[in-house]
Amino acid sequence: MKGNSAMQKLPPYLFARIEKKLEKAQEEGVDVISLGIGDPDRPTPEHIIEAMARAIANPANHRYPTSVGLLSFRQAVADWFKRRFGVTLDPREEVVALLGSKEGIAHIAFCFLEPGDMALVPDPGYPVYSIGTILVGAEPYYMPLRAENGFLPVLEDIPEDVARRAKLLHLNYPNNPTGAFADREFFMKAIEFARNYDILICHDHAYSEIAFDGQKPISLLEVEGGREVGIEFHSFSKSFNMTGWRLGWACGNAEAIEVLTRFKSNVDSGVFQAVQEAGIAALSGSQECIEEMCAVYQERRDAVVEGLNRMGWKLNSPPGTIYVWAPVPQGYTSASFAELVLDKAGVVITPGVGYGQFGEGYFRIALTVEVERIQEALERMYQAIGKVEF
Ligand SMILES: *Cc1c(COP(=O)(O)O)cnc(C)c1O
C-alpha cells in the first residue's frame, strides 16, 4: 500500500533523524530546549476564547457551516483589511474562509495546476507550496532566496520556458524561514511578471502582524494591480496565537476566490461557525494583544541575536516573524550543526535544508519559548561550542 505516484514523490521527512535523537536525549533525562517548532507558546487572548464559549452554546452553530464562511466573518475580514491596509474588499466576492491558511495554500494547486504545469516556489520556504504542486502532478520550480538579494527571488533569473509553463507564483513576506520583508518595489515587479506570463500570485501573509521596531508589513493587495493578478492567504495562527483553532482566509482576485470556493465546497464543509465567531472577535476587538505579543517576540529575538553574535555570528536582527535564520559555522552542514547543538548543548534548532536545497548552510531558531530559556539555550551553546568561524 504505497500510495499513488504523487504520494511517492513527496519528499522524505527530513527531521526524522533529529527527532529520533531528541527522543533518546529526553529518555535519558536531558533537559532539552526546543527552538525547533514555530508554534506560538502563549495562549489565545481571553476575549477570543470568551467569544468562542458564547458561540458554542448557540444551536445555530451546531449545524453544517457553508464552505465560503459566514458573511459576518467575511465582513469582519473586510473591515479589518480596510483598517489595516487601506484596501476595500467585497466580502461576498473577494473573501473566503479557510480551515487554516495551510488548507487554502495546498488546495490552490488543485484549482489552477495540472500535469505539465509549473508553480514557482521559494526555496528555502514553507513546504506546502511545493507539496500541493506535487500532489496534483505538476512541477515546482525552486526560486533560490539568497542573502545577497535580501532573500527575495530574482524573477529575471527564471528561465523563459519555465515562466511560460508557470501558473502560480508563491511568495511569503514576512518570510518563513528567513525573516525577510518585501517592499512595494518588489511586489510591483512581481505583479508585472505575473501579468506578462498570466500567472496567479499567491501571497502567504501568515506573518502580516508579526513585525518589530514599529514596522508594518504591506499587503500585495495594496499595491497597484495586485488584486488583478493575486490572492493573499491570511491566518489567525500567528497573529492571535490560534494555531490549534484552524482558521484563516484567502482574499483578493474575485475569479480566483470563486474557483477556490467552488473547490472547497466539493471537498470540505467549512469552518465550525463558533470558531468563525471567535475570528470575528479577534479581528474586531482591540489589537493590543498583537502589540504585546510582538514585544515578547522582539525581546526573544534580541536575546537570540545577541547570544549568537557573542559567539562570532554577525547577524542583523530580522524585522519580523518568529524566527532567526543564521548561517552554520565553517566545516558544518545544516544537519551536522543541528546534531552537534543537540548532542553538546541539548538544544534543538532546525537545519535549513529542511526548507529546501537553498536552505543548506543555515539553521532556524524559533522564538517560541520564554526569553529565560532562550538565554539558557545560548549560554549552553556558548559553553559547548565556544567561538565559531565562518
Ligand atoms: C504558520 C504558517 C502558516 C499558517 O498556517 P495555518 O494553516 O494558518 O496555521 C502559513 N504559512 C507559513 C509560512 C507559516 O509559517
Side-chain angles (χ1 to χ4, degrees), residues 38 40 98-105 125-129 172 174-177 204-207 233-238 242-244 246-249 322-323 364:
L98 298 173
L99 291 139
S101 60
K102 182 180 189 177
E103 177 257 304
I105 293 166
Y126 188 55
V128 185
Y129 317 127
N172 165 224
N175 182 261
N176 175 12
D204 178 355
H205 219 346
Y207 297 93
F233 292 97
H234 285 259
S235 171
F236 290 77
S237 290
K238 315 297 171 15
M242 289 174 72
T243 50
R246 312 312 304 135
L247 184 61
W249 76 84
I322 56 175
Y323 310 108
R364 192 191 79 172

Side-chain angles (χ1 to χ4, degrees), residues 348-375:
V348 177
I349 58 175
T350 312
V353 73
Y355 301 94
Q357 56 172 317
F358 297 102
E360 182 49 79
Y362 287 87
F363 63 94
R364 192 191 79 172
I365 284 181
L367 306 173
T368 47
V369 301
E370 294 297 341
V371 70
E372 293 77 20
R373 289 290 274 173
I374 286 180
Q375 282 159 343

